[in-house]
Amino acid sequence: MKTEKISEFTINRLSIYLRCLNLLAASGVTTTSSQSMAQQFQLNSAQIRKDLTYFGEFGVRGVGYSVSELRKHLSQILGLGELHKIGIIGAGNLGMALANYRGFDPKYFQVTALFDKDLSRVGEISRSGVFVYHIKDFKPIVMRENITMGVICVPAEEAQAVLDLITDAGVMAVLNFAPVQLNAETGVKLKSMDLAISFESLSYFLARQESGSAEGQPKFLRPYSKDKILPE
Amino acid sequence: MKTEKISEFTINRLSIYLRCLNLLAASGVTTTSSQSMAQQFQLNSAQIRKDLTYFGEFGVRGVGYSVSELRKHLSQILGLGELHKIGIIGAGNLGMALANYRGFDPKYFQVTALFDKDLSRVGEISRSGVFVYHIKDFKPIVMRENITMGVICVPAEEAQAVLDLITDAGVMAVLNFAPVQLNAETGVKLKSMDLAISFESLSYFLARQESGSAEGQPKFLRPYSKDKILPE
DNA sequence: AATTGTGAATTCCTTCACAGCC
DNA sequence: GGCTGTGAAGGAATTCACAATT
């Protein structure tokens, strides 16, 4: 493995590759190649290879990759060996929805506790069985339950204070849903999912469409790629 | 305005700038500069200026920008003049949570309808008052209500079919929460918020942290920037 | 004096193209 | 012959640094 720094883009794609491999495995495929993956899933074969080689040489020249081997490697790289316990701060709509969410593999991610400052919510239990604690108990519960990831689901005004609290409790990985730029301490990994930005970006697009119209929007054409299946 | 193609990164930052300006306006500031914004909100002043000049010359040399003027311009660029009506497909946890979500300005975005294929959910009304229709009525409701944005909140397996349905109904801007890569037709703007990728990226980070430890993680140090306030 | 707007420089990311290997 | 791994090329995004302007 190289000491080069690896970009967030690469890491995100590893998740995508793993997902593709899971699909292949589910349909009984045991061997694949960067080219065949690229075609099936609309990726670029060179990029797949380059991304993988940051972490090792997982393929065989002239042959390709073993689906099961590569899955194992990617899982390991992504730290999916052990269960990650998640604490969600803010037991409103979004927090509750995430606690009940079935979108991620329960083998790897488990929402272990909800927290809220509002006493009327404390003591509630989500449909999936997650208890709502008072925010003042955050640190002890994090310790007791060994929570390693925090999710911020509070209003923008409270988000920075919550991040500080999370950080203070020793949780080093945080996903933020509040529509604010937060300042994380060095060593803390903060990812933000900003709904407002996403909707405004869609809005921007729609505003362009209406005016521009007609004569082609070359900007939005999918780029040609060798790996795409071309109409004959 | 230039004909150059403008990157998604720039558009996303325009949302951030607008948010910053709203904060400034709320605290009574009437004039600002790229430098002062950069300092306050941890941005890069050259980037602010460059982003803005894709759309016009909004500043005055030697003086800076009028907060109210720039807000108006950015709102207009982002298409925030009119109300955008949103239809959410999938009235499960996430769909319902988004329908009830209070994070975005109701002046610009309004969730107008929920859709589900499950008859047991049809006829329900979200806490915020949004009705759940059957998915088969998607197109007529979109027409009647003038819905211009779709949000996909269904499981991964159904997401592509839902995107096709949305597209077929003439909705050109879509936000996808399902953890799959979707293929959108040319001319349709698709944004994805992939929870699984985000969590796996946090997991990757934690996996590195535990092994690496000690002797500094230069990778995670915030980069030096002229606009940051330096400790004296 | 201060700040914008912008070419040039830099850094980062993606893709090409081919040597090396099976 | 086919596919990986990778140096080099190409393309994008960011940042610098300064001429232009008030």
Side-chain angles (χ1 to χ4, degrees):
Chain A
M1 212 236 285
K2 290 142 194 178
T3 5
E4 225 173 311
K5 74 173 174 14
I6 291 147
S7 97
E8 190 85 24
F9 292 102
T10 291
I11 304 308
N12 290 347
R13 282 191 300 264
L14 294 187
S15 287
I16 293 171
Y17 303 152
L18 180 54
R19 193 179 279 169
C20 296
L21 290 165
N22 289 340
L23 289 171
L24 290 176
S27 53
V29 177
T30 57
T31 298
T32 190
S33 69
S34 60
Q35 222 180 99
S36 112
M37 284 181 71
Q39 273 188 16
Q40 283 177 79
F41 303 106
Q42 316 232 68
L43 306 164
N44 177 294
S45 63
Q47 187 156 68
I48 296 175
R49 295 197 298 279
K50 183 139 279 199
D51 284 341
L52 294 177
T53 54
Y54 288 122
F55 298 95
E57 308 203 353
F58 304 127
V60 180
R61 284 164 200 233
V63 179
Y65 301 91
S66 150
V67 171
S68 70
E69 285 297 305
L70 195 50
R71 280 174 86 197
K72 267 180 224 150
H73 283 298
L74 288 178
S75 293
Q76 196 256 308
I77 292 163
L78 290 171
L80 302 179
E82 66 201 293
L83 179 67
H84 291 285
K85 298 195 172 182
I86 299 169
I88 298 175
I89 301 89
N93 294 313
L94 198 57
M96 275 292 181
L98 289 176
N100 292 321
Y101 187 59
R102 308 226 157 282
F104 33 70
D105 195 327
K107 258 191 77 168
Y108 305 133
F109 299 100
Q110 181 193 70
V111 177
T112 301
L114 280 154
F115 298 90
D116 208 291
K117 66 168 189 179
D118 186 347
L119 283 167
S120 72
R121 283 175 180 157
V122 173
E124 269 183 52
I125 296 177
S126 82
R127 207 128 31 84
S128 56
V130 182
F131 192 87
V132 181
Y133 298 92
H134 193 269
I135 186 70
K136 78 168 159 42
D137 297 322
F138 187 73
K139 199 166 180 174
I141 303 283
V142 160
M143 304 301 208
R144 194 184 75 197
E145 300 289 343
N146 197 24
I147 288 171
T148 54
M149 293 183 177
V151 180
I152 299 176
C153 295
V154 301
E157 310 79 63
E158 297 160 31
Q160 183 64 55
V162 166
L163 175 58
D164 295 343
L165 177 83
I166 292 173
T167 303
D168 178 64
V171 174
M172 304 300 270
V174 182
L175 186 59
N176 169 47
F177 281 90
V180 245
Q181 297 314 101
L182 299 178
N183 303 127
E185 273 176 39
T186 304
V188 174
K189 178 72 179 175
L190 174 68
K191 276 215 136 188
S192 282
M193 311 217 85
D194 198 312
L195 274 265
I197 291 176
S198 295
F199 278 114
E200 286 176 17
S201 154
L202 293 179
S203 170
Y204 168 83
F205 170 84
L206 289 175
R208 298 289 113 171
Q209 285 305 87
E210 271 139 46
S211 46
S213 72
E215 54 177 292
Q217 302 88 349
K219 210 178 127 190
F220 300 114
L221 281 171
R222 298 240 198 84
Y224 164 77
S225 156
K226 285 217 286 189
D227 296 315
K228 300 266 162 64
I229 300 147
L230 296 173
E232 209 39 52
Chain B
M1 214 235 286
K2 290 142 194 179
T3 5
E4 224 173 316
K5 75 172 177 10
I6 291 145
S7 96
E8 189 85 28
F9 292 102
T10 292
I11 305 309
N12 291 347
R13 281 191 299 266
L14 294 186
S15 288
I16 293 172
Y17 303 153
L18 179 54
R19 192 179 280 169
C20 296
L21 290 165
N22 289 340
L23 289 172
L24 290 175
S27 53
V29 177
T30 58
T31 297
T32 188
S33 69
S34 59
Q35 219 179 107
S36 112
M37 282 181 73
Q39 273 188 16
Q40 281 176 81
F41 302 107
Q42 316 234 64
L43 305 165
N44 177 295
S45 64
Q47 187 156 68
I48 296 175
R49 295 197 300 277
K50 183 142 276 195
D51 285 339
L52 293 177
T53 53
Y54 288 123
F55 298 94
E57 307 203 353
F58 305 125
V60 180
R61 287 167 198 234
V63 178
Y65 302 91
S66 150
V67 171
S68 70
E69 285 298 305
L70 195 49
R71 281 174 84 195
K72 267 180 226 152
H73 283 298
L74 288 179
S75 292
Q76 195 255 309
I77 292 163
L78 289 171
L80 301 180
E82 67 201 292
L83 179 66
H84 291 284
K85 297 196 176 182
I86 300 170
I88 298 176
I89 300 89
N93 294 314
L94 199 56
M96 276 289 180
L98 289 176
N100 292 321
Y101 187 61
R102 308 224 157 285
F104 32 70
D105 195 328
K107 257 191 81 170
Y108 305 131
F109 299 100
Q110 179 193 69
V111 177
T112 301
L114 279 153
F115 299 90
D116 209 290
K117 65 166 189 180
D118 186 346
L119 283 166
S120 72
R121 281 175 181 158
V122 172
E124 270 183 51
I125 296 176
S126 81
R127 206 129 33 83
S128 56
V130 182
F131 192 86
V132 181
Y133 298 92
H134 193 269
I135 186 70
K136 78 169 158 43
D137 298 323
F138 187 72
K139 200 165 178 173
I141 304 283
V142 161
M143 305 297 211
R144 193 184 76 197
E145 300 289 343
N146 197 26
I147 288 171
T148 55
M149 292 184 179
V151 181
I152 299 176
C153 294
V154 301
E157 310 78 62
E158 297 159 32
Q160 183 64 56
V162 166
L163 175 58
D164 295 344
L165 177 85
I166 292 173
T167 303
D168 178 64
V171 174
M172 304 299 272
V174 182
L175 185 59
N176 168 48
F177 280 91
V180 245
Q181 295 317 101
L182 299 179
N183 303 129
E185 272 175 40
T186 304
V188 174
K189 178 74 178 173
L190 174 69
K191 276 215 137 193
S192 283
M193 311 216 85
D194 198 311
L195 272 265
I197 290 177
S198 295
F199 278 114
E200 286 176 18
S201 153
L202 292 179
S203 171
Y204 168 82
F205 170 83
L206 289 175
R208 298 288 114 171
Q209 286 303 86
E210 271 137 44
S211 46
S213 72
E215 54 178 294
Q217 303 90 345
K219 210 179 129 191
F220 301 113
L221 281 169
R222 297 237 199 86
Y224 164 78
S225 155
K226 287 217 286 189
D227 296 315
K228 300 267 161 64
I229 301 147
L230 295 172
E232 208 41 53

